[in-house]
Amino acid sequence: MMGPAHSLSGAAAWLGAGAAVAAAGHPMPWPVLLTGALISAGAALAPDLDHKAATISRAFGPLSRWLCEIVDKLSYAVYKATRKQGDARRSGGHRTLTHTWLWAVLTGAGASALAVTGGRWAVLAILFAHMVLAIEGLLWRAARGSSSDVLVWLLAATSAWIIAGTLDKPGNGSGWLFTEPGQQYLWLGLPILLGALVHDIGDALTVSGCPILWPIPIGRKRWYPLGPPKVMRFRAGSWIELKVLMPVFMLLGGLGGAAALGFI
């Protein structure tokens, strides 16, 4: 899928998760619901770090382009080193390492560990990075072009500062779900994990599929491209994605948010 659809699906997934945990007796404070939706919207773009033409490649200027080149080479090296006889030969690392459940878990756990051990500046850095990606994904038409980069970064930095200040207030969610001393912001990795997994599921719906289960082998393949029957798949950027899936994500996100806040 394309960036806007990925971001919308990530936000919708977190809002749906908010509805689910509210029903289970652990409701999210509204700042956690909002922050998690934005983080998940940004994190839903992050697996495309292995693609030099993806939205994330331009999000942080030369730094993100350089990082995408490194991740692409790393992913390709891992693919070559672990492929089985049934896996196809390929020339790049797109839709390999960063499109797996293991990558999603590691990035989510890493973000949680950084937030807990790194203090306020680590939390701000995590929020800033994902606010930039959320803006790029959700406001993609307005955010396109190098002339808007500085404005996007300023908006993201301001948002991160305000959000962190709001979450730090008693009862607003810095200690949501994990309540022991020293566990503030431990939950911050959950929307990152969810956003990455939703990205992978979205890509699995497209023609190429997605090797979500790596490194678990399936038959003669270690990088098995999971997906529905081919007749049910679509091409990235097709009318199904733009005219059907994106409105569905917006509707589901609205319903999930309303349920999470107790309105329905």
Side-chain angles (χ1 to χ4, degrees):
M1 288 198 297
M2 305 297 286
H6 278 311
S7 285
L8 279 175
S9 67
W14 183 258
L15 294 170
V21 297
H26 298 283
M28 297 178 185
W30 71 264
V32 173
L33 186 68
L34 174 61
T35 303
L38 290 172
I39 291 175
S40 191
L45 297 181
D48 277 343
L49 265 173
D50 61 5
H51 191 347
K52 291 179 285 187
T55 301
I56 191 173
S57 70
R58 65 172 183 272
F60 301 95
L63 175 62
S64 54
R65 288 192 291 272
W66 173 74
L67 184 59
C68 283
E69 291 180 2
I70 292 178
V71 173
D72 177 40
K73 290 181 173 60
L74 171 64
S75 299
Y76 181 50
V78 172
Y79 181 87
K80 287 199 302 181
T82 62
R83 64 184 289 267
K84 294 184 69 176
Q85 185 177 1
D87 290 310
R89 295 186 179 275
R90 54 187 305 148
S91 58
H94 182 46
R95 287 203 187 182
T96 56
L97 180 62
T98 62
H99 287 68
T100 65
W101 70 271
L102 184 58
W103 179 273
V105 170
L106 290 176
T107 53
S112 288
L114 180 61
V116 170
T117 61
R120 180 175 178 81
W121 287 107
V123 171
L124 286 171
I126 293 169
L127 290 174
F128 169 74
H130 288 87
M131 291 306 107
V132 170
L133 294 177
I135 294 168
E136 290 279 359
L138 298 174
L139 303 178
W140 66 287
R141 290 188 184 277
R144 284 187 299 180
S146 59
S147 62
S148 64
D149 285 348
V150 174
L151 294 178
V152 170
W153 299 337
L154 287 174
L155 177 58
T158 303
S159 301
W161 190 269
I162 293 172
I163 288 171
T166 302
L167 289 170
D168 282 339
K169 294 179 180 178
N172 273 9
S174 63
W176 173 74
L177 195 60
F178 303 97
T179 58
E180 296 298 319
Q183 292 185 343
Q184 289 83 4
Y185 291 108
L186 186 59
W187 61 269
L188 213 57
L190 295 177
I192 295 174
L193 165 64
L194 183 60
L197 289 177
V198 169
H199 177 109
D200 296 344
I201 294 171
D203 277 354
L205 299 176
T206 62
V207 173
S208 300
C210 188
I212 302 173
L213 294 182
W214 181 88
I216 301 170
I218 299 178
R220 297 170 60 247
K221 296 182 179 182
R222 192 176 300 278
W223 297 89
Y224 188 87
L226 287 179
K230 290 188 176 182
V231 69
M232 298 174 61
R233 301 186 191 188
F234 57 88
R235 294 191 178 277
S238 68
W239 67 270
I240 295 177
E241 178 180 333
L242 300 175
K243 303 296 184 181
V244 177
L245 291 182
M246 289 179 64
V248 167
F249 294 151
M250 287 188 278
L251 175 61
L252 292 178
L255 291 174
L261 294 172
F263 292 119
I264 58 176

